[in-house]
Amino acid sequence: MDTALLSLIVIVALALIFDFINGFHDTANAIATSVATKVLTPAQAIAMAAVLNVVGALAGTAVAKTISKDIIPQDYATLHLVGATLVSAIVWNLFTWWKGLPSSSSHALVFSMVGAGVAAGGWGIIIPKGVQKTLTGLITSPALGFIVPIILFFLISWLVLRWMKPRVVTRTFRTLQIFSAAFMAFSHGGNDAQKTMGIITFALAAYSGTKIETVPLWVILSAAAAMGAGTAVGGWRIIKTMGFKVVDLKPVDGFIAETGAALIIDGASRLGIPVSTTHTISTAIMGVGTTKGFKKVKWQVAGRIVQAWIYTIPVCIALGWLVHKAILAFI
């Protein structure tokens, strides 16, 4: 087996490990609210999220194409660059998981790629349009995540809640929240698993020396499976932060937060925008919380979440750059 093929196999394995870690790191995105409101047990929620993450991952490849073609041209693709990207993103994901911080796996991957790309060929090889697309998602998805649930809350309150008894509201939305959690899990798989598909496709282009326009079927299936497996393992540390430490939730709150976040994420996936599911559901929970009054949201915890968002970009650019330099120094 030649060295290049062996390197490719290692990189594909690393990409699937990243996808697996992404699954258990971001399990909370899909299930934290349904667990917090006691609509589903953790085991039930994780099982449902695992299945629907896989289904969502099979739903399209627009985001994968953004990662594989629009951040760094495939002409500059090297296995060293891809390896550095994955190691950097995995290190940051594990660190934030250990700390229980819902940081963005998506932005960890994209900005680790930027850092490794700068180390490989300077800022000139970075495609501004692709990075801008990611930054657009970084800014708009949390903003919409905060605003859309507030709008949904007042709309549902006006159309439904004012006519229903509190007991009926709870019973109705306990059922509806199962569907909103399922939609959230589907949208998470549809956006997040595609990033792994994109990075593997980028690695295949580096190995073959040719441009690859279509994501191979085996890449789609393997990324979907890895995401589902990681989700099945679960991420209780982040579930506790997302579901219990930001704001006290009722079934109607969980339904609104999940539905609003899932609509935003699914729309971004269709446009090929790699957004952070973590950012979106986090701010959706905060948005719902503010409808009860600003004092109901535990802003100190929310501040720690925002810190993790802010740190991700510079830390991952630096990590990607350092790991790439280290790989070249030792290989």
Side-chain angles (χ1 to χ4, degrees):
M1 186 180 296
D2 67 89
T3 304
L5 180 58
L6 180 60
S7 298
L8 176 65
I9 292 171
V10 170
I11 283 170
V12 170
L14 271 177
L16 295 177
I17 289 170
F18 170 80
D19 204 24
F20 177 88
I21 292 171
N22 192 345
F24 79 71
H25 185 279
D26 287 1
T27 297
N29 296 343
I31 69 175
T33 53
S34 55
V35 172
T37 57
K38 297 182 175 61
V39 168
L40 297 171
T41 67
Q44 290 171 333
I46 288 171
M48 182 186 71
V51 172
L52 287 165
N53 262 291
V54 172
V55 175
L58 300 175
T61 59
V63 175
K65 290 176 181 177
T66 296
I67 299 296
S68 66
K69 298 190 302 180
D70 294 345
I71 307 297
I72 295 173
Q74 290 186 359
D75 296 335
Y76 293 96
T78 68
L79 295 178
H80 292 148
L81 193 160
V82 182
T85 297
L86 289 167
V87 169
S88 170
I90 288 171
V91 167
W92 183 246
N93 264 5
L94 288 175
F95 175 77
T96 52
W97 168 80
W98 175 56
K99 289 292 188 181
L101 293 175
S103 66
S104 169
S105 299
S106 307
H107 297 129
L109 183 69
V110 170
F111 291 103
S112 291
M113 192 176 191
V114 169
V118 171
W123 288 100
I125 72 169
I126 307 300
I127 301 174
K129 183 178 179 181
V131 176
Q132 183 181 6
K133 183 185 287 189
T134 303
L135 287 172
T136 298
L138 173 70
I139 295 168
T140 58
S141 63
L144 290 173
F146 188 82
I147 294 167
V148 170
I150 294 175
I151 295 171
L152 283 176
F153 176 82
F154 286 109
L155 185 63
I156 290 173
S157 295
W158 183 68
L159 291 175
V160 178
L161 299 185
R162 63 176 178 161
W163 309 110
M164 297 171 68
K165 294 181 179 179
R167 186 170 49 189
V168 177
V169 170
T170 299
R171 186 170 62 245
T172 301
F173 282 93
R174 280 180 68 85
T175 301
L176 289 175
Q177 198 188 351
I178 296 173
F179 293 98
S180 65
F183 185 23
M184 183 65 206
F186 173 85
S187 66
H188 172 258
N191 201 281
D192 275 26
Q194 286 194 49
K195 289 125 187 177
T196 298
M197 299 176 201
I199 203 69
I200 293 176
T201 302
F202 191 74
L204 292 173
Y207 174 74
S208 64
T210 58
K211 292 184 179 180
I212 300 177
E213 298 293 332
T214 304
V215 180
L217 179 61
W218 71 266
V219 173
I220 296 172
L221 294 175
S222 59
M227 173 69 74
T231 302
V233 171
W236 186 246
R237 286 174 179 265
I238 294 174
I239 290 171
K240 287 195 293 184
T241 298
M242 295 281 288
F244 299 103
K245 293 184 180 180
V246 178
V247 64
D248 293 326
L249 297 172
K250 295 180 179 179
V252 63
D253 306 321
F255 170 80
I256 291 170
E258 289 168 342
T259 301
L263 286 170
I264 294 162
I265 295 163
D266 189 60
S269 297
R270 296 175 188 279
L271 295 172
I273 301 173
V275 299
S276 169
T277 54
T278 305
H279 290 195
T280 309
I281 189 62
S282 297
T283 53
I285 291 171
M286 293 178 205
V288 170
T290 60
T291 63
K292 304 172 183 297
F294 277 85
K295 291 182 179 180
K296 296 292 184 180
V297 179
K298 298 171 185 175
W299 294 106
Q300 187 176 7
V301 176
R304 288 181 66 235
I305 293 171
V306 172
Q307 280 183 328
W309 301 347
I310 294 170
Y311 293 152
T312 294
I313 294 177
V315 168
C316 286
I317 290 175
L319 269 177
W321 188 91
L322 286 169
V323 174
H324 189 277
K325 292 296 185 183
I327 288 173
L328 292 183
F330 290 101
I331 295 179

